[in-house]
Structure formats: C-alpha cells, structure tokens
Coordinates of all heavy atoms in Angstrom, one line a residue:
M1 N -12.1 21.2 6.4 CA -12.5 22.5 6.1 C -11.8 23.5 7.0 O -11.4 24.6 6.6 CB -14.0 22.7 6.2 CG -14.8 22.1 5.1 SD -14.4 22.9 3.5 CE -14.9 24.5 3.8
Q2 N -11.7 23.2 8.3 CA -11.1 24.1 9.2 C -9.7 24.4 8.8 O -9.3 25.6 8.9 CB -11.1 23.5 10.6 CG -10.5 24.4 11.7 CD -10.5 23.7 13.1 OE1 -11.1 22.7 13.3 NE2 -9.8 24.3 14.0
K3 N -8.9 23.5 8.3 CA -7.5 23.7 7.9 C -7.5 24.7 6.7 O -6.7 25.6 6.7 CB -6.8 22.4 7.5 CG -6.6 21.5 8.7 CD -5.5 22.1 9.6 CE -5.1 21.1 10.7 NZ -4.2 21.7 11.6
Y4 N -8.4 24.5 5.8 CA -8.4 25.4 4.6 C -8.8 26.8 5.1 O -8.2 27.8 4.7 CB -9.5 24.9 3.6 CG -9.0 23.8 2.8 CD1 -9.6 22.5 2.9 CD2 -7.9 23.9 1.9 CE1 -9.1 21.5 2.1 CE2 -7.4 22.8 1.1 CZ -8.1 21.6 1.2 OH -7.6 20.6 0.5
E5 N -9.8 26.9 6.0 CA -10.2 28.3 6.4 C -9.1 28.9 7.2 O -8.8 30.1 7.1 CB -11.5 28.1 7.3 CG -12.7 27.8 6.4 CD -13.9 27.3 7.2 OE1 -13.8 27.3 8.5 OE2 -14.9 27.0 6.6
E6 N -8.4 28.2 8.1 CA -7.3 28.7 8.9 C -6.1 29.2 8.0 O -5.4 30.1 8.3 CB -6.7 27.7 9.8 CG -7.7 27.4 11.0 CD -7.2 26.2 11.9 OE1 -6.2 25.6 11.6 OE2 -7.9 25.9 12.8
S7 N -5.9 28.6 6.8 CA -4.9 29.0 5.9 C -5.3 30.2 5.1 O -4.5 30.7 4.3 CB -4.4 27.9 5.0 OG -5.4 27.6 4.0
G8 N -6.5 30.6 5.2 CA -7.0 31.8 4.4 C -7.5 31.3 3.0 O -7.8 32.2 2.2
A9 N -7.6 30.0 2.8 CA -8.1 29.5 1.5 C -9.5 29.8 1.3 O -10.3 29.8 2.2 CB -7.8 28.0 1.4
K10 N -9.9 30.0 0.0 CA -11.3 30.0 -0.4 C -11.7 28.7 -0.9 O -11.1 28.1 -1.7 CB -11.6 31.1 -1.5 CG -11.0 32.4 -1.1 CD -11.8 33.1 0.0 CE -11.3 34.5 0.3 NZ -11.2 34.8 1.7
V11 N -12.8 28.1 -0.3 CA -13.2 26.8 -0.7 C -14.5 26.9 -1.5 O -15.5 27.6 -1.1 CB -13.5 25.9 0.5 CG1 -14.0 24.5 0.2 CG2 -12.1 25.8 1.3
F12 N -14.6 26.2 -2.6 CA -15.8 26.0 -3.4 C -15.7 24.7 -4.1 O -14.7 24.1 -4.3 CB -16.1 27.2 -4.3 CG -15.0 27.5 -5.3 CD1 -15.0 26.9 -6.5 CD2 -14.0 28.3 -5.0 CE1 -14.0 27.2 -7.4 CE2 -13.0 28.6 -5.9 CZ -13.0 28.0 -7.1
A13 N -16.9 24.2 -4.6 CA -16.9 23.0 -5.3 C -17.5 23.3 -6.7 O -18.4 24.1 -6.8 CB -17.7 21.9 -4.6
I14 N -17.0 22.5 -7.7 CA -17.6 22.6 -9.0 C -18.0 21.2 -9.4 O -17.2 20.3 -9.3 CB -16.6 23.2 -10.0 CG1 -16.1 24.6 -9.6 CG2 -17.2 23.2 -11.5 CD1 -14.9 25.1 -10.4
S15 N -19.2 21.0 -9.9 CA -19.6 19.7 -10.4 C -20.4 19.8 -11.7 O -20.8 20.9 -12.1 CB -20.4 19.0 -9.3 OG -21.8 19.4 -9.4
T16 N -20.5 18.7 -12.3 CA -21.3 18.6 -13.6 C -22.8 18.4 -13.3 O -23.6 18.2 -14.2 CB -20.8 17.5 -14.5 OG1 -20.8 16.3 -13.8 CG2 -19.4 17.8 -15.0
D17 N -23.2 18.5 -12.0 CA -24.6 18.4 -11.7 C -25.3 19.7 -12.0 O -24.7 20.8 -12.0 CB -24.8 18.0 -10.2 CG -24.3 16.6 -9.9 OD1 -24.3 15.8 -10.8 OD2 -23.9 16.4 -8.7
N18 N -26.6 19.6 -12.1 CA -27.4 20.9 -12.3 C -27.6 21.6 -11.0 O -27.4 21.0 -9.9 CB -28.7 20.6 -13.1 CG -29.6 19.7 -12.3 OD1 -29.7 19.7 -11.1 ND2 -30.3 18.8 -13.0
T19 N -28.0 22.8 -11.0 CA -28.1 23.6 -9.8 C -29.1 23.1 -8.8 O -28.8 23.0 -7.6 CB -28.4 25.1 -10.2 OG1 -27.4 25.6 -11.1 CG2 -28.5 26.0 -9.0
P20 N -30.3 22.6 -9.2 CA -31.2 22.1 -8.2 C -30.6 20.8 -7.5 O -30.8 20.7 -6.3 CB -32.5 21.7 -9.1 CG -32.4 22.6 -10.3 CD -30.9 22.7 -10.6
S21 N -29.9 20.0 -8.2 CA -29.3 18.8 -7.6 C -28.2 19.3 -6.6 O -28.1 18.7 -5.5 CB -28.6 17.9 -8.7 OG -29.6 17.4 -9.5
Q22 N -27.5 20.3 -7.0 CA -26.4 20.8 -6.1 C -27.0 21.4 -4.8 O -26.5 21.2 -3.7 CB -25.6 21.8 -6.8 CG -24.7 21.3 -7.8 CD -23.9 22.4 -8.5 OE1 -24.3 23.5 -8.7 NE2 -22.6 22.0 -8.8
K23 N -28.1 22.1 -5.0 CA -28.8 22.7 -3.8 C -29.2 21.6 -2.9 O -29.0 21.7 -1.7 CB -30.0 23.6 -4.3 CG -30.6 24.3 -3.1 CD -31.8 25.2 -3.6 CE -32.3 25.8 -2.3 NZ -33.6 26.5 -2.6
A24 N -29.9 20.6 -3.4 CA -30.3 19.5 -2.5 C -29.1 18.8 -1.8 O -29.2 18.5 -0.6 CB -31.1 18.5 -3.3
F25 N -28.1 18.6 -2.6 CA -26.9 17.9 -2.0 C -26.3 18.8 -0.9 O -26.0 18.3 0.2 CB -25.8 17.7 -3.1 CG -24.5 17.1 -2.7 CD1 -24.5 15.8 -2.4 CD2 -23.4 17.9 -2.6 CE1 -23.3 15.2 -2.0 CE2 -22.2 17.3 -2.2 CZ -22.1 16.0 -1.9
S26 N -26.1 20.1 -1.2 CA -25.6 21.0 -0.2 C -26.4 21.1 1.1 O -25.9 21.1 2.2 CB -25.5 22.4 -0.8 OG -24.9 23.3 0.1
E27 N -27.7 21.2 0.9 CA -28.6 21.2 2.1 C -28.5 19.9 2.9 O -28.6 20.0 4.1 CB -30.0 21.6 1.6 CG -30.2 23.0 1.2 CD -31.5 23.3 0.6 OE1 -32.3 22.4 0.4 OE2 -31.8 24.5 0.3
S28 N -28.5 18.8 2.2 CA -28.5 17.5 2.9 C -27.2 17.3 3.7 O -27.3 16.6 4.8 CB -28.6 16.3 1.9 OG -27.4 16.2 1.2
L29 N -26.1 18.0 3.3 CA -24.9 17.8 4.1 C -24.5 19.1 4.9 O -23.5 19.2 5.5 CB -23.7 17.5 3.1 CG -23.8 16.2 2.4 CD1 -22.7 16.0 1.4 CD2 -23.8 15.0 3.4
A30 N -25.4 20.1 4.8 CA -25.2 21.4 5.4 C -23.8 21.9 5.1 O -23.0 22.3 6.0 CB -25.4 21.3 7.0
L31 N -23.5 22.0 3.8 CA -22.2 22.5 3.4 C -22.0 23.9 3.7 O -23.0 24.7 3.5 CB -22.0 22.2 1.9 CG -22.0 20.7 1.5 CD1 -21.8 20.6 0.0 CD2 -20.9 19.9 2.3
S32 N -20.8 24.3 4.0 CA -20.6 25.7 4.4 C -19.8 26.5 3.2 O -19.4 27.6 3.4 CB -19.7 25.8 5.6 OG -18.5 25.2 5.4
F33 N -19.7 25.9 2.1 CA -19.1 26.5 0.9 C -20.0 26.4 -0.3 O -20.8 25.5 -0.4 CB -17.7 25.8 0.7 CG -17.8 24.4 0.5 CD1 -18.0 23.8 -0.7 CD2 -17.6 23.5 1.6 CE1 -18.0 22.4 -0.9 CE2 -17.6 22.1 1.5 CZ -17.8 21.6 0.2
P34 N -19.8 27.3 -1.3 CA -20.7 27.3 -2.5 C -20.3 26.2 -3.4 O -19.2 25.7 -3.5 CB -20.4 28.6 -3.1 CG -19.1 29.1 -2.6 CD -18.9 28.4 -1.2
L35 N -21.4 25.7 -4.1 CA -21.2 24.7 -5.2 C -21.5 25.4 -6.5 O -22.6 26.1 -6.6 CB -22.3 23.6 -5.0 CG -22.1 22.7 -3.7 CD1 -23.2 21.7 -3.7 CD2 -20.8 22.1 -3.7
L36 N -20.6 25.3 -7.4 CA -20.8 25.9 -8.7 C -21.1 24.8 -9.8 O -20.5 23.7 -9.7 CB -19.5 26.7 -9.1 CG -19.0 27.6 -8.0 CD1 -17.6 28.2 -8.5 CD2 -20.0 28.7 -7.8
S37 N -21.9 25.1 -10.7 CA -22.3 24.1 -11.7 C -21.6 24.3 -13.0 O -21.5 25.3 -13.6 CB -23.8 24.3 -12.0 OG -24.2 23.3 -12.9
D38 N -21.1 23.1 -13.5 CA -20.4 23.0 -14.8 C -21.3 22.2 -15.7 O -20.8 21.4 -16.5 CB -19.0 22.4 -14.6 CG -18.1 22.5 -15.8 OD1 -18.3 23.4 -16.6 OD2 -17.3 21.6 -16.0
F39 N -22.6 22.3 -15.4 CA -23.6 21.4 -16.1 C -23.7 21.7 -17.6 O -23.8 20.8 -18.4 CB -24.9 21.5 -15.4 CG -26.0 20.8 -16.0 CD1 -26.1 19.4 -15.9 CD2 -27.0 21.4 -16.8 CE1 -27.1 18.7 -16.5 CE2 -28.1 20.7 -17.4 CZ -28.1 19.3 -17.2
F40 N -23.8 23.0 -17.9 CA -24.1 23.4 -19.3 C -23.2 22.9 -20.4 O -23.6 22.2 -21.3 CB -24.2 25.0 -19.4 CG -24.5 25.4 -20.8 CD1 -25.8 25.2 -21.3 CD2 -23.6 26.1 -21.5 CE1 -26.1 25.7 -22.6 CE2 -23.9 26.5 -22.8 CZ -25.1 26.3 -23.3
D41 N -21.9 23.1 -20.2 CA -21.0 22.7 -21.3 C -19.8 21.9 -20.8 O -18.9 21.5 -21.6 CB -20.5 23.8 -22.1 CG -19.8 24.9 -21.3 OD1 -19.5 24.7 -20.1 OD2 -19.4 25.9 -21.9
R42 N -19.7 21.6 -19.5 CA -18.6 20.9 -18.9 C -17.2 21.5 -19.2 O -16.2 20.8 -19.1 CB -18.6 19.4 -19.3 CG -19.8 18.5 -19.2 CD -20.8 18.8 -18.1 NE -21.6 17.6 -17.8 CZ -22.9 17.5 -17.8 NH1 -23.6 18.6 -18.1 NH2 -23.5 16.4 -17.5
H43 N -17.2 22.8 -19.4 CA -16.0 23.4 -19.8 C -14.9 23.4 -18.8 O -13.7 23.1 -19.1 CB -16.3 24.9 -20.2 CG -15.2 25.7 -20.7 ND1 -14.6 25.4 -22.0 CD2 -14.4 26.7 -20.2 CE1 -13.6 26.2 -22.2 NE2 -13.5 27.0 -21.2
V44 N -15.2 23.7 -17.5 CA -14.2 23.7 -16.4 C -13.7 22.3 -16.3 O -12.5 22.1 -16.1 CB -14.8 24.2 -15.1 CG1 -13.8 24.1 -14.0 CG2 -15.2 25.7 -15.3
S45 N -14.5 21.3 -16.2 CA -14.1 19.9 -16.0 C -13.2 19.5 -17.2 O -12.2 18.8 -16.9 CB -15.3 18.9 -16.0 OG -16.2 19.3 -15.0
Q46 N -13.5 19.9 -18.4 CA -12.6 19.6 -19.5 C -11.2 20.3 -19.4 O -10.2 19.7 -19.6 CB -13.3 20.0 -20.8 CG -14.5 19.1 -21.1 CD -15.2 19.5 -22.4 OE1 -14.6 19.8 -23.4 NE2 -16.5 19.6 -22.3
L47 N -11.2 21.5 -19.0 CA -10.0 22.3 -18.8 C -9.1 21.7 -17.8 O -7.9 21.7 -17.9 CB -10.3 23.7 -18.5 CG -10.8 24.6 -19.6 CD1 -11.2 26.0 -19.1 CD2 -9.8 24.8 -20.7
Y48 N -9.7 21.2 -16.7 CA -8.9 20.6 -15.7 C -8.6 19.1 -15.9 O -7.9 18.4 -15.1 CB -9.5 20.8 -14.3 CG -9.3 22.1 -13.7 CD1 -10.0 23.3 -14.1 CD2 -8.2 22.3 -12.8 CE1 -9.7 24.5 -13.6 CE2 -7.9 23.6 -12.3 CZ -8.7 24.7 -12.8 OH -8.4 25.9 -12.3
G49 N -9.0 18.5 -17.0 CA -8.7 17.2 -17.4 C -9.4 16.1 -16.5 O -8.9 15.0 -16.4
V50 N -10.6 16.4 -16.0 CA -11.2 15.5 -15.1 C -12.6 15.0 -15.7 O -13.3 14.2 -15.1 CB -11.5 16.0 -13.7 CG1 -10.1 16.3 -13.0 CG2 -12.3 17.3 -13.7
Y51 N -12.9 15.5 -16.9 CA -14.2 15.1 -17.5 C -14.1 13.8 -18.1 O -13.1 13.4 -18.8 CB -14.5 16.2 -18.6 CG -15.9 15.9 -19.2 CD1 -17.0 16.0 -18.4 CD2 -16.0 15.7 -20.6 CE1 -18.3 15.8 -19.0 CE2 -17.2 15.5 -21.2 CZ -18.4 15.5 -20.4 OH -19.6 15.3 -21.0
I52 N -15.2 12.9 -17.9 CA -15.3 11.6 -18.5 C -16.4 11.7 -19.5 O -17.6 11.5 -19.2 CB -15.6 10.6 -17.4 CG1 -14.6 10.7 -16.3 CG2 -15.6 9.2 -18.1 CD1 -14.9 9.8 -15.1
P53 N -16.1 11.9 -20.8 CA -17.2 12.1 -21.8 C -18.2 10.9 -22.0 O -19.4 11.2 -22.2 CB -16.4 12.3 -23.1 CG -15.0 12.5 -22.8 CD -14.8 12.0 -21.4
K54 N -17.7 9.7 -21.8 CA -18.6 8.5 -22.0 C -19.8 8.5 -21.1 O -20.9 8.0 -21.4 CB -17.9 7.2 -21.9 CG -16.9 6.9 -23.0 CD -16.3 5.6 -22.8 CE -15.3 5.3 -24.0 NZ -14.7 4.0 -23.9
V55 N -19.6 9.1 -19.9 CA -20.7 9.1 -18.9 C -21.1 10.5 -18.5 O -21.9 10.7 -17.6 CB -20.3 8.3 -17.6 CG1 -20.3 6.8 -17.9 CG2 -19.0 8.7 -17.1
A56 N -20.5 11.5 -19.2 CA -20.8 12.9 -19.0 C -20.7 13.4 -17.5 O -21.6 14.2 -17.0 CB -22.2 13.2 -19.5
I57 N -19.7 12.9 -16.8 CA -19.4 13.4 -15.5 C -18.0 13.7 -15.3 O -17.2 13.4 -16.2 CB -19.9 12.4 -14.4 CG1 -19.1 11.1 -14.5 CG2 -21.4 12.1 -14.4 CD1 -19.2 10.1 -13.4
A58 N -17.6 14.2 -14.2 CA -16.2 14.5 -13.9 C -15.8 13.6 -12.7 O -16.6 13.3 -11.8 CB -16.0 16.0 -13.5
N59 N -14.5 13.3 -12.8 CA -13.9 12.6 -11.6 C -13.9 13.5 -10.4 O -13.9 14.7 -10.5 CB -12.4 12.2 -11.9 CG -12.3 11.0 -12.8 OD1 -13.0 10.0 -12.6 ND2 -11.3 11.0 -13.7
R60 N -13.9 12.8 -9.2 CA -13.8 13.6 -8.0 C -12.4 14.0 -7.8 O -11.6 13.1 -7.6 CB -14.4 12.9 -6.8 CG -15.9 12.7 -7.0 CD -16.5 12.0 -5.8 NE -17.9 11.9 -6.1 CZ -18.9 12.2 -5.2 NH1 -18.6 12.5 -4.0 NH2 -20.1 12.0 -5.5
V61 N -12.1 15.2 -7.8 CA -10.7 15.7 -7.6 C -10.7 17.0 -6.8 O -11.6 17.8 -7.0 CB -10.0 16.0 -9.0 CG1 -8.6 16.4 -8.8 CG2 -10.1 14.7 -9.9
T62 N -9.8 17.1 -5.9 CA -9.6 18.3 -5.1 C -8.3 19.0 -5.6 O -7.3 18.3 -5.7 CB -9.4 18.0 -3.6 OG1 -10.6 17.4 -3.1 CG2 -9.1 19.3 -2.8
F63 N -8.5 20.2 -6.1 CA -7.3 21.0 -6.5 C -7.1 22.1 -5.5 O -8.1 22.8 -5.1 CB -7.6 21.7 -7.9 CG -7.7 20.7 -9.0 CD1 -9.0 20.3 -9.4 CD2 -6.6 20.3 -9.7 CE1 -9.1 19.4 -10.5 CE2 -6.7 19.4 -10.8 CZ -7.9 19.0 -11.2
V64 N -5.9 22.3 -5.1 CA -5.6 23.5 -4.2 C -4.8 24.4 -5.2 O -3.7 24.0 -5.7 CB -4.7 23.0 -3.0 CG1 -4.3 24.3 -2.2 CG2 -5.5 22.1 -2.1
I65 N -5.3 25.6 -5.3 CA -4.7 26.5 -6.3 C -4.2 27.7 -5.4 O -4.9 28.3 -4.6 CB -5.7 27.0 -7.3 CG1 -6.2 25.7 -8.1 CG2 -5.2 28.0 -8.3 CD1 -7.4 26.0 -8.9
D66 N -2.9 28.1 -5.7 CA -2.3 29.1 -4.9 C -2.8 30.5 -5.4 O -3.5 30.6 -6.3 CB -0.8 29.0 -4.9 CG -0.1 29.3 -6.2 OD1 -0.7 29.9 -7.1 OD2 1.1 29.0 -6.3
T67 N -2.3 31.5 -4.7 CA -2.7 32.9 -5.0 C -2.3 33.4 -6.3 O -2.8 34.4 -6.9 CB -2.2 33.9 -3.9 OG1 -0.8 33.8 -3.8 CG2 -2.9 33.6 -2.6
E68 N -1.3 32.7 -6.9 CA -0.9 33.0 -8.3 C -1.6 32.3 -9.4 O -1.3 32.4 -10.5 CB 0.6 32.8 -8.4 CG 1.5 33.6 -7.5 CD 2.9 33.3 -7.5 OE1 3.4 32.5 -8.4 OE2 3.7 33.8 -6.7
G69 N -2.6 31.4 -8.9 CA -3.4 30.7 -9.9 C -2.8 29.4 -10.3 O -3.2 28.7 -11.3
K70 N -1.7 28.9 -9.6 CA -1.0 27.7 -10.0 C -1.5 26.6 -9.1 O -1.7 26.7 -7.9 CB 0.5 27.9 -9.8 CG 1.1 28.9 -10.7 CD 2.6 29.0 -10.5 CE 3.1 30.1 -11.4 NZ 4.5 30.4 -11.1
I71 N -1.7 25.4 -9.7 CA -2.1 24.2 -8.9 C -1.0 23.8 -8.0 O 0.1 23.5 -8.5 CB -2.6 23.1 -9.9 CG1 -3.8 23.5 -10.7 CG2 -2.9 21.8 -9.0 CD1 -4.2 22.5 -11.8
D72 N -1.3 23.8 -6.7 CA -0.3 23.4 -5.7 C -0.4 22.0 -5.2 O 0.5 21.4 -4.8 CB -0.4 24.4 -4.5 CG 0.6 24.2 -3.5 OD1 1.8 24.6 -3.7 OD2 0.3 23.7 -2.4
F73 N -1.6 21.5 -5.3 CA -1.9 20.1 -4.8 C -3.1 19.5 -5.5 O -4.1 20.2 -5.8 CB -2.2 20.3 -3.3 CG -2.5 19.0 -2.6 CD1 -1.5 18.0 -2.3 CD2 -3.8 18.7 -2.3 CE1 -1.8 16.9 -1.7 CE2 -4.1 17.5 -1.6 CZ -3.1 16.6 -1.3
I74 N -3.0 18.2 -5.8 CA -4.2 17.5 -6.4 C -4.4 16.2 -5.6 O -3.5 15.5 -5.3 CB -3.9 17.1 -7.8 CG1 -3.6 18.3 -8.7 CG2 -5.0 16.3 -8.4 CD1 -3.1 18.1 -10.1
E75 N -5.7 16.0 -5.3 CA -6.1 14.7 -4.6 C -7.3 14.2 -5.4 O -8.2 14.9 -5.6 CB -6.4 15.1 -3.2 CG -6.5 13.9 -2.2 CD -6.5 14.3 -0.8 OE1 -7.1 15.3 -0.4 OE2 -5.8 13.7 0.0
S76 N -7.2 12.9 -5.7 CA -8.3 12.4 -6.5 C -8.9 11.1 -5.9 O -8.4 10.6 -5.0 CB -7.8 12.1 -8.0 OG -6.8 11.2 -7.9
G77 N -10.0 10.7 -6.6 CA -10.7 9.5 -6.1 C -11.3 9.7 -4.8 O -11.8 10.8 -4.4
G78 N -11.4 8.6 -4.0 CA -12.0 8.7 -2.7 C -11.4 9.6 -1.7 O -12.0 10.3 -0.9
D79 N -10.0 9.8 -1.9 CA -9.3 10.7 -1.0 C -9.7 12.2 -1.3 O -9.6 13.0 -0.4 CB -7.8 10.6 -1.2 CG -7.3 9.3 -0.7 OD1 -8.0 8.6 0.1 OD2 -6.1 8.9 -1.0
A80 N -10.2 12.5 -2.5 CA -10.7 13.8 -2.8 C -11.8 14.2 -1.9 O -11.9 15.4 -1.4 CB -11.1 14.0 -4.2
M81 N -12.7 13.3 -1.6 CA -13.8 13.6 -0.7 C -13.4 13.6 0.8 O -13.9 14.4 1.6 CB -14.9 12.5 -0.8 CG -15.6 12.6 -2.2 SD -16.5 14.1 -2.5 CE -17.8 13.9 -1.3
K82 N -12.4 12.8 1.2 CA -11.9 12.8 2.5 C -11.0 13.9 2.8 O -10.8 14.3 4.0 CB -11.2 11.5 2.8 CG -12.1 10.3 2.7 CD -11.3 9.0 2.8 CE -12.1 7.8 2.4 NZ -11.3 6.6 2.3
M83 N -10.4 14.5 1.8 CA -9.4 15.6 1.9 C -8.3 15.3 2.9 O -8.0 16.1 3.7 CB -10.1 16.9 2.2 CG -11.1 17.3 1.1 SD -11.7 19.0 1.2 CE -12.7 19.0 2.7
L84 N -7.7 14.1 2.8 CA -6.7 13.7 3.7 C -5.4 14.5 3.5 O -4.7 14.6 4.5 CB -6.3 12.2 3.4 CG -7.5 11.2 3.6 CD1 -7.0 9.8 3.2 CD2 -7.9 11.2 5.1
G85 N -5.2 15.1 2.4 CA -4.0 15.9 2.2 C -4.2 17.3 2.6 O -3.3 18.1 2.4
A86 N -5.3 17.7 3.1 CA -5.6 19.1 3.4 C -4.6 19.7 4.4 O -4.1 20.8 4.2 CB -7.0 19.2 4.0
P87 N -4.2 19.0 5.5 CA -3.3 19.7 6.4 C -2.0 20.0 5.7 O -1.5 21.2 5.9 CB -3.1 18.6 7.5 CG -4.3 17.8 7.5 CD -4.7 17.8 6.0
D88 N -1.4 19.1 4.9 CA -0.2 19.5 4.2 C -0.3 20.5 3.2 O 0.5 21.4 3.1 CB 0.4 18.2 3.6 CG 0.9 17.2 4.6 OD1 1.2 17.6 5.7 OD2 1.1 16.0 4.2
A89 N -1.4 20.5 2.4 CA -1.7 21.5 1.4 C -1.8 22.9 2.0 O -1.3 23.8 1.5 CB -2.9 21.1 0.5
C90 N -2.6 22.9 3.1 CA -2.8 24.2 3.8 C -1.5 24.8 4.4 O -1.3 25.9 4.4 CB -3.9 24.0 4.8 SG -5.5 23.7 4.1
S91 N -0.7 23.9 4.9 CA 0.5 24.3 5.5 C 1.4 24.9 4.5 O 2.0 26.0 4.6 CB 1.2 23.1 6.2 OG 2.5 23.6 6.7
R92 N 1.5 24.3 3.3 CA 2.3 24.8 2.2 C 1.7 26.2 1.7 O 2.5 27.1 1.5 CB 2.3 23.9 1.0 CG 3.2 22.8 1.1 CD 3.5 22.1 -0.2 NE 2.2 21.6 -0.9 CZ 1.6 20.5 -0.6 NH1 2.0 19.7 0.3 NH2 0.5 20.2 -1.2
L93 N 0.4 26.3 1.7 CA -0.2 27.6 1.2 C 0.1 28.7 2.3 O 0.4 29.8 1.9 CB -1.7 27.5 1.1 CG -2.2 26.8 -0.2 CD1 -3.8 26.7 -0.1 CD2 -1.8 27.5 -1.4
A94 N 0.0 28.4 3.5 CA 0.2 29.4 4.6 C 1.6 29.9 4.6 O 1.8 31.0 5.0 CB -0.2 28.8 5.9
H95 N 2.6 29.0 4.2 CA 4.0 29.4 4.3 C 4.6 29.9 3.0 O 5.7 30.2 2.9 CB 4.8 28.2 4.9 CG 4.4 27.9 6.3 ND1 3.5 27.0 6.6 CD2 4.8 28.5 7.5 CE1 3.4 26.9 7.9 NE2 4.2 27.9 8.5
K96 N 3.7 29.9 2.0 CA 4.2 30.3 0.7 C 4.3 31.8 0.6 O 3.4 32.5 1.0 CB 3.2 29.9 -0.4 CG 3.8 29.8 -1.8 CD 2.8 29.2 -2.8 CE 3.4 28.1 -3.5 NZ 2.6 27.5 -4.5
K97 N 5.4 32.3 0.2 CA 5.6 33.8 0.1 C 5.0 34.3 -1.2 O 5.1 33.7 -2.2 CB 7.1 34.1 0.1 CG 7.8 33.6 1.3 CD 8.9 34.5 1.7 CE 9.7 33.9 2.8 NZ 9.3 34.3 4.1
P98 N 4.2 35.4 -1.1 CA 3.6 36.0 -2.3 C 4.7 36.5 -3.2 O 5.8 36.9 -2.8 CB 2.8 37.2 -1.7 CG 3.0 37.2 -0.3 CD 3.9 36.1 0.1
A99 N 4.4 36.4 -4.5 CA 5.3 36.9 -5.5 C 5.6 38.4 -5.3 O 4.7 39.1 -5.0 CB 4.8 36.6 -6.9
A100 N 6.8 38.8 -5.6 CA 7.1 40.2 -5.5 C 6.4 41.0 -6.6 O 6.3 40.5 -7.8 CB 8.6 40.4 -5.7
S101 N 5.8 42.1 -6.3 CA 5.1 42.9 -7.3 C 6.1 43.9 -7.9 O 7.0 44.3 -7.2 CB 3.9 43.6 -6.7 OG 4.3 44.4 -5.6
D102 N 5.8 44.3 -9.1 CA 6.7 45.3 -9.8 C 6.4 46.7 -9.3 O 5.5 47.2 -8.8 CB 6.4 45.3 -11.3 CG 6.8 43.9 -11.8 OD1 7.7 43.3 -11.3 OD2 6.2 43.5 -12.8

C-alpha cells in the first residue's frame, strides 16, 4: 500500500460480495482503502474478464490503471493479494509522463 500511495495512485477494491460482507471484511483487516460492491449485476467483473459465472464470483486480480485509463499492470491469483508487483508497477506509474493536452 505504501508504494501505491507514494506514487500518487488511488487504491480501491471491487468484489462480487455484498456491502455488509465487505464492511465486515474491511473492518477485520483494518483496510485503509474503500471496497466497492459489484454484487448486483457483476458488470465490472464481466467487463474486466475476471467473472466466473459457474460460481458467481470473480478471480482475484490486481489491475493498475494509469491516468489515461489504460491498464498498465495485471497481477492475478495469490500474487494479487500479496501485490508482489506493486513496487515495479508504482515505479512505472510515477515515471510515466502525462499525455500532452490540446
């Protein structure tokens, strides 16, 4: 988390859990970032290609999205929870030049 914050990144989580479950999860781990629910229609999970319809859940995946809205880094499975790629992803974000405006 520190690496993401130092790079100026905004961190949040999206899951297919309902809001009360997310609140309990967040409190149990004292998370410092918001959890957003994709419980109703799983739309976000489907758009990002991580939804598993047979079990109505999403794979655990960390996406790092740059300021232009492009996916810069993806980490999945157990590594998504450990965020092992965070230092490299944050370094790339911190050194990325913003697009020229018209």
Side-chain angles (χ1 to χ4, degrees):
M1 283 301 299
Q2 181 180 349
K3 291 288 183 185
Y4 284 114
E5 290 168 359
E6 288 172 358
S7 73
K10 305 293 182 221
V11 176
F12 57 91
I14 302 173
S15 81
T16 54
D17 293 332
N18 61 39
T19 304
S21 295
Q22 288 181 325
K23 182 177 182 192
F25 179 76
S26 179
E27 289 173 353
S28 73
L29 296 176
L31 298 179
S32 61
F33 53 87
L35 297 178
L36 308 176
S37 181
D38 192 29
F39 178 75
F40 179 69
D41 60 6
R42 306 332 203 233
H43 186 69
V44 174
S45 302
Q46 291 175 49
L47 287 174
Y48 278 83
V50 298
Y51 184 63
I52 308 168
K54 287 183 181 182
V55 288
I57 63 170
N59 279 323
R60 291 182 183 225
V61 180
T62 296
F63 292 97
V64 176
I65 301 170
D66 69 15
T67 56
E68 296 175 9
K70 295 178 183 170
I71 296 173
D72 184 73
F73 178 77
I74 300 172
E75 195 163 40
S76 61
D79 289 345
M81 292 298 289
K82 297 174 192 169
M83 297 193 293
L84 299 175
D88 290 339
C90 292
S91 178
R92 279 194 307 277
L93 282 178
H95 294 95
K96 200 174 234 187
K97 300 213 186 271
S101 58
D102 296 330

